[in-house]
Amino acid sequence: MGRLGLGRIEDGILIKEYRQEAGLTQKQFSELFDPPIPIDTIKKWDSGKMKPPDWVEGLIIEKMERMNVITNKKERSRKAVGEKNMTDLEILMMDNCTKAEAEKHLKNGTVVFDGKDFENNFDGYMDEWGIEEEYRSEYEAMINEKKPVSDWGIVEHKVGTWYIMYVL
């Protein structure tokens, strides 16, 4: 994995692929964020001259996945065994958000994690987000006791569990 000045950077190119898949120019992409991402930064990411931190890239990709859904007029959904698919919007509404609130949360970058994926990849997420070992117990308790930590939500349904990382 390369960093600025340490050789080729491949990871930043993924953001370019998502942006192009969504049919967005660098300027349009920049304006999706508040504050906007500087266009010079986007150009460096696109060319591979610079890479965003992994956690930033993860949040951008999550948002881009949602934007691709909107651009392509499809809804991103969560498979629900034996029932209809659950969308991120529906999951947020199950966490007591109104539809307007849920849409605003998703626009602001709130991320919905499939429970099994989050639990199975817990250490990877903690490492990626830079959560120190002494603070991981709060998140472990969230999983074990189903009690959300600050700025998180949990939705339990007969077809699955989802962890919601709110961006307020």
Side-chain angles (χ1 to χ4, degrees), residues 26-28 30-31 36-44:
Q26 290 175 337
K27 184 176 188 315
Q28 290 168 328
S30 166
E31 293 169 352
I37 298 172
I39 293 180
D40 285 344
T41 300
I42 296 168
K43 287 179 181 179
K44 289 176 184 173

Side-chain angles (χ1 to χ4, degrees), residues 2 20 28 31 48 52 84 96 115 123 156 160 167:
Q20 290 175 333
Q28 290 168 328
E31 293 169 352
K84 70 181 190 99
N96 297 316
D123 289 328
E156 292 183 277
V167 177

Side-chain angles (χ1 to χ4, degrees), residues 60-116:
I60 289 171
I61 289 170
E62 282 288 331
K63 183 164 188 157
M64 290 308 300
E65 286 174 349
R66 280 194 295 280
M67 293 308 298
N68 281 339
V69 167
I70 293 166
T71 302
N72 295 327
K73 297 190 180 1
K74 295 180 189 171
E75 284 195 312
R76 180 176 174 212
S77 63
R78 310 279 179 180
K79 287 285 184 195
V81 180
E83 289 201 6
K84 70 181 190 99
N85 293 335
M86 302 291 290
T87 65
D88 288 352
L89 183 69
E90 290 170 320
I91 293 166
L92 288 175
M93 290 172 67
M94 289 171 57
D95 198 36
N96 297 316
C97 292
T98 65
K99 184 175 181 182
E101 290 169 335
E103 288 170 340
K104 182 178 179 184
H105 284 305
L106 291 170
K107 182 181 177 196
N108 289 339
T110 291
V111 180
V112 177
F113 295 91
D114 174 77
K116 288 183 182 175

Side-chain angles (χ1 to χ4, degrees), residues 126-145:
M126 295 294 107
D127 291 343
E128 183 178 323
W129 298 335
I131 305 294
E132 300 290 331
E133 200 65 42
E134 63 263 23
Y135 299 109
R136 293 184 184 197
S137 61
E138 293 177 48
Y139 295 91
E140 289 170 343
M142 178 173 72
I143 291 170
N144 296 329
E145 299 167 20

